[in-house]
Amino acid sequence: CAALRCRVELQPGETREIVVLLGAATSEEEVRAIIARNGGPALAAKAARESVAAWTNRLTTIKVRTPSPEFDALLNRWTLYQALSCRMWARSAMYQSSGAYGFRDQLQDGMAFVYTDPDVTRAHILRSASHQFVEGDVQHWWHEPSGRGVRTRFSDDLVWLPFTTDHYVRVTGDTGVWNEVVAYLEMRQLDPHEHEVYDLPKRSERTDTLYAHCMNALRRACTTGAHGLPLIGIGDWNDGMNRVGVEGKGESVWLAWFLVATLRRFATHAKERGAEEDVNWCHTQADQYVAAVEREAWDGAWYRRAYFDDGTPLGSASSDECQIDSIAQSWSVLSGAGDPERSRTALRSVGERLVRDHERLILLLTPPFDKTEHDPGYIKGYLPGVRENGAQYTHAAFWTVLATVGLADGDRAFHLLDLLNPFTHARTPEEANKYKVEPYVVAADVYTAPAHVGRGGWTWYTGSASWSYRAALEGILGFTKRGDRLRIAPCIPTSWDEVTIDYRFGRSLYAITVVNPEHVSTGVKLVEIDGVACSDGEIDLRDDGASHTVRVTMGEGGLERATEEGVTAEERA
């Protein structure tokens, strides 16, 4: 902590400009160079203008206009700004000031930058691969520049590397990233009694392509327990469930869905490389997990969440607490692998048990953990209705939105997204006093505890910002880019007449207008590019410096909404 004092004396009517320059550098020489570039009032003002211009350029790569100004405000500027400035770059905020990279955390954040800053996404994918151990597991989090961090038994971290890379390659078309060579880390493995260890690993002499890193991660992640499901370790995506499988026997239903999605997507890249052995292995593993979930995890009206070490189900109607957990339901749809009728029933159960329309909340689970004899972990340490323990955990809530998009229900999907939009939680002084946190950034959690219903908790530093951006852009508006091809397949409220999307692709501008004369939720009848009808409904993106006009007409009986696997949302769900 430091304090600087400067005495300034002003004569009557005199004006002075003072520049205070804060920065960091690796040497005195570099410090003096920064001061020379920015030290005077004119230079500082120029630097500030350039920074504002850079942000404006970044945040206007995609600009939308819909009948919902709250939706537009969130998508056009705030969530992308939150995800990049706070999550990816600062890695610090009021509620967390560690500055560390979380392996699963910033990989998820990076998926939102593929349209505006793909180089940021690419660089972080390679950075993350360099924090994988030779055995295939990864650091749960680490600090730069030392690289000191924790080696753990979390079961999902490593899977986000192939999952995020798949998304990056599909959107950008940059298949060359698979061949980038990255070194591994080396460190002693955890002893049988250890759940994690904090240490400084060393850089291994062993290197591998990014593709091999991803394959190594998948082979390490694909474990099997007594029910045929992957082991949960000391937690999957929900860190708070760190004692469900503390003895090494507990299993995760959510992780099974997540692995299925990742394995099947990764298999397409393996096939393109001619790696047939990897293709067959990915599909076999995925099929086995799907069979195990449908055989062992269906609870009658929703999917169970996990199994404790002793085989007791978690997230079951027979449970005294946490009878239903949202992410096992949403990922039955997002994986594209759940039984269609069961997935619809599961999402319906989410609506009945976890969505509170009048309070504008979508809960993670219910009832909260409180007195259950089975110890799920530190999640139980939160008061019932706070953070993961029965509150709205917004990150997971956006998965519910995307799953509803997968069921092709635009009215419902937008309604759920609108419940989560922070702007709609502070429209009046009374609402703002209840919400109590910034209404222009996504909150990680919103309480359901009786005395604090609707109160925002942790803000700014949350992965829900990037998922909010993707749920709005890719989910509701159906903005689906694959290399230099773009498909607009909306899933919007039937009341919306028109949506506009301005997309800057290199030096070109694509002015896209979506019209909905039949007031449908999904379905595209006609796509016209510069007045010429496009038979396959896909826009051929060209960086030719010109302005192009695109008109998308929605309606029944035309081109279908496509998914990653090339089938309609209705077929998928």
Side-chain angles (χ1 to χ4, degrees):
C1 180
L4 303 179
R5 183 174 67 178
C6 178
R7 183 179 180 87
V8 178
E9 294 185 4
L10 294 179
Q11 298 300 318
E14 183 182 6
T15 298
R16 298 275 295 278
E17 278 193 71
I18 301 169
V19 173
V20 179
L21 185 65
L22 301 179
T26 57
S27 66
E28 180 178 335
E29 181 181 17
E30 187 178 348
V31 169
R32 293 189 179 280
I34 293 173
I35 293 172
R37 285 200 308 271
N38 305 292
L43 292 174
K46 179 175 180 289
R49 288 194 302 270
E50 290 173 348
S51 179
V52 170
W55 274 108
T56 299
N57 181 68
R58 181 180 295 115
L59 299 178
T60 56
T61 298
I62 299 175
K63 187 176 180 180
V64 309
R65 186 169 65 254
T66 74
S68 170
E70 296 90 353
F71 178 93
D72 299 351
L74 199 66
L75 177 56
N76 285 335
R77 299 192 73 88
W78 282 105
T79 49
L80 197 62
Y81 176 76
Q82 179 180 355
L84 185 56
S85 68
C86 179
R87 289 284 297 184
M88 183 60 77
W89 285 348
R91 301 185 300 285
S92 181
M94 173 69 77
Y95 299 93
Q96 181 167 332
S97 303
S98 74
Y101 283 104
F103 197 91
R104 78 162 75 95
D105 300 328
Q106 275 73 32
L107 277 172
Q108 289 180 80
D109 298 328
M111 288 191 283
F113 310 141
V114 290
Y115 308 105
T116 55
D117 278 288
D119 289 345
V120 172
T121 309
R122 191 184 204 272
H124 187 66
I125 288 171
L126 298 176
R127 180 188 297 118
S128 298
S130 73
H131 288 269
Q132 181 182 31
F133 297 104
V134 292
E135 294 82 5
D137 59 321
V138 300
Q139 286 182 301
H140 184 57
W141 55 258
W142 74 90
H143 278 283
E144 299 282 6
S146 72
R148 188 178 293 272
V150 289
R151 189 173 196 173
T152 74
R153 298 188 189 279
F154 281 105
S155 57
D156 74 307
D157 285 339
L158 62 174
V159 187
W160 289 102
L161 180 63
F163 187 87
T164 299
T165 308
D166 161 79
H167 177 72
Y168 167 79
V169 171
R170 285 176 186 264
V171 173
T172 65
D174 177 18
T175 57
V177 74
W178 293 118
N179 298 318
E180 294 284 353
V181 176
V182 184
Y184 288 96
L185 295 178
E186 290 184 0
M187 180 177 154
R188 73 169 180 87
Q189 295 194 58
L190 299 177
D191 292 333
H193 67 280
E194 289 182 306
H195 301 151
E196 60 181 48
V197 62
Y198 173 73
D199 207 343
L200 177 63
K202 69 175 184 178
R203 186 63 55 193
S204 175
E205 293 183 1
R206 177 184 165 187
T207 62
D208 237 331
T209 63
L210 176 62
Y211 175 87
H213 274 268
C214 291
M215 198 66 215
N216 195 5
L218 287 171
R219 291 189 181 277
R220 174 71 180 237
C222 288
T223 56
T224 305
H227 297 87
L229 301 168
L231 300 174
I232 193 172
I234 62 164
D236 50 17
W237 169 84
N238 193 331
D239 289 3
M241 293 184 175
N242 62 313
R243 294 193 61 80
V244 173
V246 70
E247 297 173 9
K249 302 175 185 177
E251 300 163 274
S252 170
V253 176
W254 170 81
L255 182 58
W257 289 134
F258 181 46
L259 279 168
V260 169
T262 309
L263 287 163
R264 288 180 173 173
R265 294 181 186 190
F266 192 79
T268 63
H269 304 291
K271 186 173 184 178
E272 289 172 359
R273 297 173 69 88
E276 288 302 321
E277 183 179 342
D278 293 345
V279 173
N280 295 333
W281 180 83
C282 286
H283 282 303
T284 299
Q285 287 291 321
D287 293 346
Q288 289 174 352
Y289 283 141
V290 172
V293 173
E294 299 293 5
R295 182 182 65 248
E296 304 286 352
W298 180 247
D299 200 63
W302 57 80
Y303 289 98
R304 295 169 181 172
R305 175 64 173 85
Y307 282 92
F308 286 94
D309 286 311
D310 66 359
T312 301
L314 173 63
S316 168
S318 63
S319 305
D320 51 352
E321 296 169 359
C322 185
Q323 294 176 342
I324 179 172
D325 187 297
S326 74
I327 68 172
Q329 323 316 320
S330 58
W331 277 83
S332 74
V333 178
L334 298 180
S335 67
D339 175 90
E341 190 55 41
R342 285 182 172 182
S343 291
R344 286 189 178 278
T345 300
L347 262 292
R348 193 157 49 243
S349 296
V350 168
E352 294 169 355
R353 300 288 301 271
L354 298 175
V355 177
R356 296 186 180 179
D357 294 293
H358 295 303
E359 295 166 352
R360 307 192 70 76
L361 295 169
I362 304 175
L363 282 56
L364 176 62
L365 58 87
T366 196
F369 293 104
D370 189 14
K371 300 177 181 178
T372 181
E373 293 181 3
H374 281 86
D375 182 8
Y378 78 76
I379 186 174
K380 189 179 174 184
Y382 293 122
L383 293 173
V386 173
R387 288 189 62 74
E388 293 101 315
N389 193 14
Q392 172 179 290
Y393 206 67
T394 315
H395 191 141
F398 281 116
W399 288 346
T400 301
V401 173
L402 284 168
T404 307
V405 169
L407 299 184
D409 188 345
D411 286 310
R412 181 66 174 168
F414 179 79
H415 171 70
L416 295 176
L417 182 69
D418 199 51
L419 294 182
L420 304 175
N421 190 323
F423 288 106
T424 69
H425 284 256
R427 293 169 297 189
T428 66
E430 292 75 22
E431 288 181 344
N433 187 54
K434 176 181 178 181
Y435 192 50
K436 295 187 183 298
V437 296
E438 307 93 326
Y440 45 83
V441 289
V442 181
D445 58 316
V446 184
Y447 301 164
T448 60
H452 304 285
V453 175
R455 176 173 179 167
W458 180 313
T459 62
W460 275 104
Y461 196 82
T462 165
S464 53
S466 62
W467 281 105
S468 168
Y469 185 79
R470 294 189 62 196
L473 180 65
E474 299 170 3
I476 301 297
L477 299 184
F479 190 94
T480 308
K481 181 177 178 290
R482 296 291 178 260
D484 58 0
R485 305 277 285 175
L486 177 66
R487 177 183 291 272
I488 305 297
C491 184
I492 60 176
T494 53
S495 62
W496 283 12
D497 294 310
E498 183 176 292
V499 171
T500 63
I501 306 171
D502 291 335
Y503 174 43
R504 195 170 64 251
F505 179 73
R507 297 165 298 128
S508 302
L509 177 65
Y510 285 82
I512 304 166
T513 301
V514 179
V515 293
N516 189 16
E518 298 178 19
H519 292 103
V520 296
S521 179
T522 62
V524 173
K525 293 179 67 173
L526 178 65
V527 176
E528 299 167 284
I529 305 171
D530 296 328
V532 179
C534 178
S535 60
D536 63 1
E538 291 195 354
I539 302 161
D540 184 13
L541 298 171
R542 298 192 302 274
D543 184 8
D544 56 9
S547 294
H548 300 279
T549 300
V550 179
R551 185 176 178 86
V552 178
T553 303
M554 297 181 66
E556 300 284 354
L559 301 168
E560 297 290 347
R561 179 180 176 84
T563 69
E564 307 246 337
E565 294 75 27
V567 298
T568 68
E570 290 81 2
E571 290 169 339
R572 181 184 183 191

